[in-house]
Amino acid sequence: MTTVSGTAATNAATLASAQNKSLMGDTQDRFLTLLVTQLQNQDPLNPMDNAQVTSQIAQLSTVNGIQQLNNTLLALSGQMDMSQSLQAASLIGKQVLVPGAKVSLGSDPADPTIKSATPFGIDLISGSAKTTVSIVDASGTLVRKLDLGALDAGVYPLAWDGKDGAGAPVADGAYSIQVAAVDADGQPVSAQALSSGTVGSVAYTSGGLKLDLGLAGKVSLLDIRQIM
């Protein structure tokens, strides 16, 4: 995989260099043709002075410099894309937390009383004095409320035992989480719910790298908040 990445990056740099040389050659040819034409057709009573010629040459150098910079940036962008692809590929089979509010609850086939819910979490932008997570069913009815107290800013993975507030197991199915956090003055703190998924595959699309999390959908590499 590393060899493929290095070869691709080298090919991108070689292609950019070749394109740059070709464009520079065409630009210089056009410039020289224009300059010779200007010199041949200049007004004998008001010929071009050295400053005008120097100014045009400087403009040509500036254009060539900008083109070289653009090609260099394109080559670097290609290298970064390959590096991100390799990083994303290493995530296949791993569980990650991404923005979302879905939680799935199921039972152990051997013992229906044993419940298992998919992991979830929260992302706090800043510290909170009080943080609560509410688990609601498909109809929006509150099933369980988790009081997490005061928390510092950061990502926190959480788990649910599949029981309601009274300690009784709830039915299998799809649930969602809601996060509420306030600071010491009672003002809301920005908090985001996170759901989990297992990376099944990685695809490079027109919208960038996408990770396929199965039922959790497809997300960007930049959406990952934590690798479990």
Side-chain angles (χ1 to χ4, degrees), residues 31 35 48-61:
F31 169 76
L35 181 59
M48 293 176 62
D49 57 22
N50 291 336
Q52 289 176 305
V53 176
T54 301
S55 175
Q56 292 191 9
I57 294 176
Q59 292 176 7
L60 175 64
S61 298

Side-chain angles (χ1 to χ4, degrees), residues 88-89 91-96 197-202 211-214 224:
L91 294 175
I92 294 177
K94 294 185 177 180
Q95 196 169 52
V96 296
T198 300
V199 180
S201 63
V202 178
L211 308 180
D212 188 350
L213 304 183
I224 294 178

Side-chain angles (χ1 to χ4, degrees), residues 6 10 20 77 81 84 86 102 135 161 194 201 207 222:
T10 301
N20 179 56
S77 177
D81 287 343
Q84 284 189 338
L86 292 176
K102 296 179 180 179
I135 300 174
D161 59 7
L194 304 175
S201 63
L222 301 178

Side-chain angles (χ1 to χ4, degrees), residues 1 9 21 25 33-34 39-40 44 48 54 60 68 119 124 156 193:
M1 293 292 287
K21 289 180 180 179
T33 300
L34 177 61
L39 292 175
Q40 290 176 341
M48 293 176 62
T54 301
L60 175 64
Q68 289 178 339
L124 285 177
Y156 294 88

